[in-house]
Structures are given as structure tokens and as C-alpha cells.
Amino acid sequence: MGANTRTDRMLPSQFDDKLIAAIGLTLLAALIPFFVSEYVRTLIQRCLLWIPPIFGVYFIYSLLRQVHFAQSIFIGLGSYIVAFLAGKYFLTSELLILLPLSLLACVVVAYVLGIFIMRRTGFYFAIMGIAVTMVFWSLVYKMRQITGGSDGISDIKNPTLLGIQLSEQGFYYICLLISVGLIVLMYRILHSPFSMQLKAIRGDLQKAESIGIPVHQMRRLAFVVAGANAGLSGVLLAFLYNYVGPTSFAWEFGAQFVQAAIIGGVNYFVGPIVGAFAFVGLEFLVSTWFPNLWEIVIGVTVALVVVTVGEEGVTGIAKNLLGRVFKGANLKERTYSDGK
Amino acid sequence: MFMRKSKALVVMLTAAMLLVGALGAAASGEIPSGPIKIGFAVPMSGTATSLAPDAGINAQIAVEYINKYEGGILGRPVQAFIYDTKGDPQTTVDVFGKLIENDGVEAVLGCLSSSTGLAIAPRVENRWKIPTLLLEATTMQMFTTAVPNPKYVYRIGPDDVMQSITHVKAVLENKPDLKTIALGAPDYEWGHDVVNSFIKILAQFRPDVEVVYTFFHPFGEASPNFTAYITELMQRKPDVYVGYSWGTDGVAWHNQAKAMGLYGRIPLVFDVFAGTAKGQLAEEGVLAETRAGNAMFPPHELGYPNAKHAPMILERVGALPTYGMGVHMLTGMLYLKAAYEKVYALTGQYPTPEQVATALDGLSIIGPCGITSMINHQSTAPGMAVGKMHQREDGLWVMEDLLIVPDYMRFVPPWMTVDEFIETLGKIQ
Amino acid sequence: MLSTCLRYVLNSLPVVSYVILLSFSYSFILYICGRVSLTFAGIYLVGAYATVSLGMALMGNNMSFAGFIGILLLACLLGAAMLVASYLCFERFLKTDVHRMVATSSLLVASRGLVKVIWGTTPVTYSAPFLSMGVSEIAGNIVPNYYLFMLAVALLLMLALSYFLNRTCWGMRFRASSLDGERTMAQACGVNQNVVTLMTFAIAGVLAGLAGGLYAPIAGAAYGSEGNALLLAALSVIIGGVGSIGGAVLAAFIVGIARAVAAIKMPVLELAVPFIIASITLMLRPFGLWGKEFRY
């Protein structure tokens, strides 16, 4: 009986469309390398690897209404684990070892940092995130003997899976797999009791505490979820570029994920995915047409998105437009989040 | 008779085939029409920009100069693709991918900081195989550990040891009786590398000189307060101070040191970047380095190619010393032009990237600083000399009493490691 | 020993003075209007570039003290006008604090791009006022008089503001607005909230513009300096507490002196030390050393 109800719950009629769309998009992403140049493939790969950290930002924003500037700590952590183990002190470039290892490291670090950071809210939370990121950055930057300082570590070997050397094409599919896997996982987490508790905390901390929700524990766990996402991305980003430097730890790097999340739209589950592609796409176009104006374009875009559509982002705009074009289609329904 | 006819036929057929073959070969050797695409990967935003001002504009100027006064490369006009690396190594890798795989450029000039150079050099060698001229990326790691046997990667700027030898010689020349010395540099890998090699090389020439103070100030912090370092430095009373601060750091350092009277109290100050940042760092009588010509090399208004190139920089950037960017860009373009023409002259065919890369080694050109040669993938950077700053009547800063260290003292021989080479220096004198 | 301690204090003076002005500019808006606005760092840039450009254009090398004060006043006015304009045209429409934070910080990114387009990335300096004031010697330490002038201006301004807020009728209206979360009560009592908000932004603009103008002769007006200014000011507010004048001064001294000491004694920590102090403060005293409990 249990199995049956579960299937019923999993596949309501309106969920069907989304599942088909998701599978279609995944297939598209899987087939695309056969039709585009290597560069475009790398670009798509970068978008795919940006999605998990943006999901982390989205997770904290949509559930707790906090701006999470500290994702670069975990990107950097994952990247430097790869840089040491698969580069400088070469031990292994086995993904099945490196991914769990950096996941573990990120979970531990995120939990410890969460004790300090997640007690704060609003501006204090944001600045605390930046402050901790800066401390990590300067540690990595100053420990030149070990980390190579500002020059970073450049001789990272190519990844292996079960001992088999991955081709670039193969690595693309690994990235796709992990990215899609994390998206599915985030979908499950966002529809779990855990997220409902977080929403309750966002609504009223005292009330949530009084009905028995371990408030601070929950918030810390949310931070861990966000950090773990970014850590896995960090591992793959290090392999993608075969280079890791202290800029992975810079808070400006973490701020880019916030910008991408805002552009994508924080009211929608697909927001981070749209945001990653929109941000990287925008970067591509601007760098081609106005290489000198990158900062103005990205700054004004984000400011305009916030002031005009707020949390709706590009996804919201696109949905509105599509909804107008296909009047019959039921596109207005929100996939996730209750808005305010 | 018949035999003769058939022989004639064979000869004629062979001749015809040869002719067709030659024509075919000529057709494949034809220079393609349309512009030649050259990529530039330079920092145009982020921290590194304030240290490499107007890099994009200088790339544009170098390309314009080549098209206007040199007739392009093999008669083809140059089309520049200039992208922003944000000074970030990973973005630089993206930018190189875009230039090479998307835009199909034939050669790339780029990379100012060592980190960006280290990130792309192995990829250029293994994957892209396109002639790449690094603007600086002066780290000694480049051709020792990062790409030990380079084929496509070349460096226009000097390397760390070349710099330090010149600096040590200049200090000893200008202040033979020094007893104590202090050094300051921005806190990143280049700063540590040059200070360490300076101290090592100085110990070879003059083991008795004492280094009384070494500091590394924060790098690229846009409006820094260096008073603490300056006070400490003046307390130690060294005979010579050698400072490597540059860009925004340099301007703040210079203002604050001047206000606190550093230039009067320390007998000899060697501000390596004095005169850069549009002349704001200049100070009468202070030693400065030309760093592949901060375009202050005396004949900057005269001769080839400066007579045409320098006015373009003056007009567009507003000042001549632009941290050698303009000079590096033009030197790189002239190298590329010479390599293309050399291959074409030798083979009669339009060169492949591999041929250009091979031709670049051992090439000599007349650049903005005189005759420059590419030896073992490293340009001789002849403009790297040290002189005293002097302001002319017309307000422009120039250098006097230039000291140029001979090339045999600056190049690490292929049979030696860097450390072994430094140890031999003391014996050359 | 005493002389060495004094040396650290004197070395930190330029940073202390501009951080006092800048951090109070930020915390004043936060305190009175309950709004997070990071535009103040953009105004800092405006002040710096205005001072340098005006100084070079109007005076060149002929330095006169009165002229410099005039230029500073112009920079203040410009800063106030621009901050008020930014509020009226842009920040007014931002609904929540998170929106304000994200939107104003992206405007900062845009302003840095604008600076690059107008002035390029080479820093511009107008150091005549700084150099012409000479140096004095205090207990064997050389200190440029300009540092003392900067500190005096900052402290006098803080005293004046303190008097204004605590002793005048208008100051009472400001305080009434700050204590009132929704600001309906103050409005009901006849305090025009629009006027109070605009005046708050104007005062904050004056402070931020002055901070930029005063510091520019020392370090130059540079592309990218707004990020540094923003972080130092925000950390000082965390350390000192929101809305507290004493806290702003205290925090600026702590940050400045800690950096000056770290630069000599422990260079590894120089950049990180303000962040470490702020993190510790947040853990031990979430509302700052001098601040009262404050919810916005």
C-alpha cells in the first residue's frame, strides 16, 4: 500500500509536465556536446558547475531570507583539496575519493562556521559571511609555502573514475550527472519537513522555538546543505580549469553567486538554473561586445532586476511573457516558495 | 621516331604535372584574404586593473600602429579581439578558450600576473597549440616547472632573476659604500620572489651588506595607509631603500613617503616603478627602472617605432609611462609580424601556428626599446635598465645615467639551475 | 615604550579619521531610517574624485588652505546631493533590507565601472594639501600635520552631530523617528518623516563625501577603493554598534590601531585583523561594544 500511495504522491498530473520538461532538458544538455564547439561545451560545463553553489544561495535566501555571501569558502575548500591531492602532493585524482572527502570537509567546516554565522540575521549575517571568507582567503594567501600564495597551484592532473582516466567529454557527463543529481536532491530537500521547519523559523523564530523546533540547529543544517553543494562544485571546477588559486576564496567570487541567484529569480525552483545560464551568458555577450563595461552592465542589471521585479528575476519575467503568449497554458503556477 | 615522340610525351606530361603541382602548391601557399585575427587577454576589471592601467587601450593602439604604419602582417590587416580576464586565472582560461576555439585567433598576447600565466601555459602547450606571448608573468616557475619544454609559450617581459640582477648592479653602482639596505614589496608571489632573489644576488656581490628591514605590504588594496611601514623604515635608517610598490600601492606609498620626508632622510631611494602611474610616482633624483621601457627611455619621441607609437599613446592615454603596457603590446605584435614574415620568406607558404611558434625563437626585432631578441622563449627585454629620474623643461619625466646590464649576466644558461647561476655571479664582477 | 605605543596611534590616524566619518555615515541611515544602504561607499568615491579633480583644475600647484576647504565643502555638498538623489530615484523603491543590500551593492559595482570609464584605472592624486602642511614631531615620532587636521575635522564633526542629536529640537525628532519601528508614532506626533529621511540621507552624504575628500590627498582617488571603504566601515559599525557616535569613534580607533600594529608586529594578519575583531565582537556582543540592542 505504501508503495502505491507514494507513486500517487510523486506523480500528480501537473507534476508530469515538469518531470517531462526536466528529463527533456537533461537529455538536451547530454546531447549538446555533439553539436557545439569545445569552448561552448566548457561554457555549459561552467554553468552546470555554478548551479549547485547558486542553489545554496537560493536555499538560504528562499527559506531564511538571508543573503549568503560565503559560498566561496566551500568552493575554495573543495578546490584546494583537489589541488593538494591531485596536484601538488599527488596522491590520487580519483573522483570517488575526492568528492566524498571534500563533501566531508565542507560539512564539518560549514557546521562549525554555522555555529557562529547562523546566529546572525540580515546585514550582520552578510557581513559576517564576508568576514569569515576574508579570513579564509588571507590564510590561504599568506601560507605561501604550502598553497603557493597568489600564484596558486597549477599542475592538477586530469580526473579518474574507478581508475579510468576521464576524457574531457566524459568529465562533462560527470559534471552533468552531479549537477542534475544535486538539483533533484535539492528538490527533495525543499519539499521535506526540514524545509517546512525552516520556513516556520523564518516566519517567527520565537513561535518556532516554542513548538519544539531546534531553531539554531536547523539553521546550521541549512548552512551545511548550502556549503556541501558548493564544495562538490569546487572539486569539479578545480578539475575543469586544472588550476586553483586564492581567488576561489575571494568574497567577490561568492558575491557572483548571489548576483546570479538574484538575476535568476529566487521565487522559483528553476531560478538558480536560469540564473547560472543567464549570468554566464550575459558575461559572454558583454565580454564580446563591450569588454570594458562588464561591471556597469552586471551592476545595473542586478539593481534593475531587484527594483523592478524583486525576487521574481528573469524566470518571473519569462513566465509572465510566456503566460501571455500561451494564454491557455498553465504556466503561472509557482513551482516553489510562497513568495513573501 | 616513335620512341622520341613517346619520350617527348612523357616529358611533356611530367612537365605538365609538375606545373599543376607547382600551381597547386602556390595556391595553397597563397596568403588568405581578410584580416588576421589576434587575441588579447588583458585585465580590464578587478584588482589587477589598477596595476595594469589602460591595457585594453594599449592593445588597440599597438594593433592600430601595425595596421597604419607597418602595413599589417603579410599585408593582412590585424583584427584585434580584446577580452577582459578580470585578473583571475580561471577567467583567463575561459577567455583563452573563447579566443582560440570560438573566435579562431591565430596568436594570443596576454597574461600580466604570474598566476594567470601559470594557469594557461600548460593548456596552451597541450591543448590549444597556438603561439602565445605572455606580457609579463615573470615567475621563474614558468619555464622550469610549469612548462619545462615550451614550444608555443613565449615571454615578452623580463624574468625575476633578470630584474634582480639589474637592480643589484644599479644599487652598487650608485652607492658603492652602502652598509645597510631595506626592501619593501607588495605582498604577493612576485613581491616575495624579487625581494628574495635581490637578497640572494646581493649576498654574492657584497656579503657584508646588512639587510635591516624587509616588509611586504598588502597588495592592491585600493587606498592603503602605509604610514606604519614608512615610520618603521625611517627608524631603521638604512643607506638604501629599494621599493617595489606599484599601481595604486605605488601612488599611496609615494605620497605618504614624500610627506613624511623619506626621500630626504634615506641617502639613496630606488623606487623601481618611479615614473609610472602617469608620472605620479616620479621624484627628482630617485633611481627608477625602465621595466621593458616604461616608455621613458630617452629617445621616446625619435626613431623607429617610437616616433609614431609614442604620440598615439600620449594622445589616447594622456601620459607616456603606462607601466610598459604599450611597449609590451607593440613588442609582441612586432615579434609576431617578424615571425610570420620569416616563415613566409623561407617556405613561400602561409605559416601554420606551429611554424610561427617555431620561428619566434631566436628572432630579433627592433622594438620600442631597441634591438630585442627572443632567446629560449624569453625576450631579452633590453629596455630593462636603471636610471635617475629627471623632470625636463617641458614637464615630462625622463631618465638619466642609464645603466644597462649586459645580457650574458642576465640569462640563466640552459645547463644551470637558477641557484647555481646566482652563485656564479659574484665571480663575474 | 610609550613613544612606540604613540607611534602606532599616530600611524593609524588617517584610517581612523576616514573610518569614523564613513562608518557613522552608514550607521546613521541604519539607525534613523532603519534602512541598509551601501551607497555611502559610492559617495566616498564621489568625494574623492571630486576633490582631486576640482583641486587639480582650480588650484593646480598653487595650494591655498582656504581653497582646499572650499573644495572639501563642495565635495560634501555634492555627496549630500547625490545620496539624496539616489534615495529619491532608486532606494525609495526597495522594499526589504535584503533588497536594499543587494541592489545598492550592485550599484556600487556599477559605480566602480563608471569610474573606470571616466578616469581610467590609474589612480589620480592631488597631494598638494597633504604635502604643504608639513610635519611635526611628537615624542620623537614624525607625523604629518595633515593627519592631525583630518582627525580634528572628524572629531569636531562628530561632536557637532552629537550636540545636534542630543541637545536640539530637530535632533529629538531624529531620535524619535529612530526609536519608532514603523515610524507611525513619530509621524502622528507631527514629525514629518519625509523631511527626516531626506535630512538623514543628506547628512550621511556630507559625511561620506568628506571622508573621500579628506583621504584622497593621502592615498589618491583610486578605482576599486570603494570596496575597501565599504568593508572597513561596515566592520566598524559591527564593532562599535549601530547609531552610536562614541561607538563609531571607538571602533575606528580599534580597527586603525590594530592594523597599524599588525603591519609591524604580525604582517600576516594585517588584512584579516579587522575581520577577526568584528567576528569576535559579533560572537560576544552582537550589538557592538557601545551599541544598545537594535533591531531593524
Side-chain angles (χ1 to χ4, degrees), chain A residues 13-193:
Chain A
S13 62
Q14 151 261 6
F15 186 74
D16 253 349
D17 304 343
K18 281 175 207 157
L19 194 66
I20 290 167
I23 292 173
L25 279 175
T26 315
L27 274 179
L28 184 69
L31 290 177
I32 254 179
F34 294 108
F35 303 107
V36 296
S37 70
E38 269 181 47
Y39 170 67
V40 178
R41 193 194 62 210
T42 322
L43 212 60
I44 296 173
Q45 212 164 342
R46 200 175 112 208
C47 295
L48 289 174
L49 294 184
W50 272 40
I51 291 173
I54 299 174
F55 254 110
V57 173
Y58 161 78
F59 189 68
I60 302 281
Y61 193 103
S62 67
L63 290 180
L64 296 168
R65 283 289 178 273
Q66 306 297 337
V67 189
H68 185 11
F69 277 114
Q71 280 296 47
S72 50
I73 296 176
F74 306 105
I75 295 260
L77 213 57
S79 296
Y80 267 93
I81 286 176
V82 172
F84 286 136
L85 294 185
K88 194 168 181 196
Y89 312 108
F90 181 79
L91 286 175
T92 175
S93 58
E94 175 62 47
L95 282 176
L96 288 182
I97 298 174
L98 290 171
L99 284 172
L101 193 67
S102 73
L103 189 66
L104 184 72
C106 286
V107 167
V108 172
V109 171
Y111 191 82
V112 174
L113 288 181
I115 296 173
F116 310 115
I117 297 182
M118 282 319 261
R119 286 190 173 264
R120 310 282 154 247
T121 54
F123 184 73
Y124 290 96
F125 173 80
I127 284 291
M128 187 87 179
I130 291 176
V132 174
T133 315
M134 282 294 285
V135 172
F136 269 85
W137 174 85
S138 46
L139 274 179
V140 170
Y141 194 90
K142 301 276 183 176
M143 283 156 57
R144 333 178 15 249
Q145 310 298 342
I146 307 167
T147 60
S150 65
D151 276 356
I153 297 169
S154 66
D155 47 354
I156 296 172
K157 308 286 179 298
N158 284 327
T160 57
L161 187 70
L162 292 169
I164 306 160
Q165 184 89 22
L166 284 172
S167 66
E168 293 198 1
Q169 198 93 343
F171 184 56
Y172 173 84
Y173 288 110
I174 297 290
C175 293
L176 182 65
L177 187 75
I178 288 176
S179 187
V180 170
L182 283 176
I183 293 171
V184 173
L185 194 67
M186 288 306 282
Y187 191 84
R188 299 300 302 158
I189 291 178
L190 282 163
H191 289 79
S192 68

Side-chain angles (χ1 to χ4, degrees), chain B residues 206-258:
Chain B
R206 288 282 299 276
D208 57 314
V209 175
E210 191 193 350
V211 181
V212 287
Y213 185 44
T214 317
F215 66 87
F216 298 95
H217 61 69
F219 164 63
E221 204 192 0
S223 46
N225 169 26
F226 290 139
T227 323
Y229 297 108
I230 297 168
T231 330
E232 189 69 18
L233 177 61
M234 296 202 306
Q235 295 275 332
R236 309 279 179 108
K237 296 194 174 59
D239 290 337
V240 178
Y241 167 67
V242 183
Y244 288 93
S245 315
W246 60 314
T248 30
D249 294 341
V251 171
W253 173 271
H254 179 255
N255 277 352
Q256 292 162 22
K258 198 170 172 183

Side-chain angles (χ1 to χ4, degrees), chain B residues 44-46 49-50 53-54 213 218 221-225 227-229 231-232 234-235 247-248 251-252 255-256 258-260 265 277-278 280, chain C residues 7 11 14-15 44 112 116 121-125 127 130-131 135 142 144 147 215 217-219 222-225 228 259-260 263-264 270-271:
Chain B
M44 293 197 277
S45 60
T49 342
S50 50
D54 308 317
Y213 185 44
E221 204 192 0
S223 46
N225 169 26
T227 323
Y229 297 108
T231 330
E232 189 69 18
M234 296 202 306
Q235 295 275 332
T248 30
V251 171
N255 277 352
Q256 292 162 22
K258 198 170 172 183
M260 297 184 69
R265 278 161 212 257
K278 300 191 177 177
Q280 291 180 74
Chain C
R7 192 194 313 159
N11 287 344
V15 170
Y44 165 82
R112 150 205 285 241
K116 183 171 71 184
T121 51
T122 312
V124 287
T125 51
S127 52
F130 178 36
L131 299 180
V135 293
I142 296 161
Y147 291 4
Y215 196 51
I218 295 180
Y223 161 87
S225 56
N228 198 24
R259 277 200 60 165
I264 302 303
E270 194 194 337
L271 278 181

Side-chain angles (χ1 to χ4, degrees), chain A residues 206-270:
Chain A
Q206 268 83 29
K207 272 182 208 159
E209 202 161 20
S210 67
I211 59 167
I213 298 173
V215 174
H216 293 297
Q217 186 74 7
M218 281 297 161
R219 287 170 62 101
R220 236 171 281 157
L221 283 180
F223 195 70
V224 169
V225 168
N229 268 310
L232 291 180
S233 260
V235 171
L236 298 174
L237 276 171
F239 278 124
L240 178 64
Y241 292 104
N242 297 94
Y243 172 89
V244 174
T247 40
S248 295
F249 272 111
W251 72 271
E252 287 96 337
F253 187 50
Q256 288 189 333
F257 299 126
V258 176
Q259 290 170 335
I262 297 287
I263 290 179
V266 233
N267 272 352
Y268 300 95
F269 181 76
V270 289

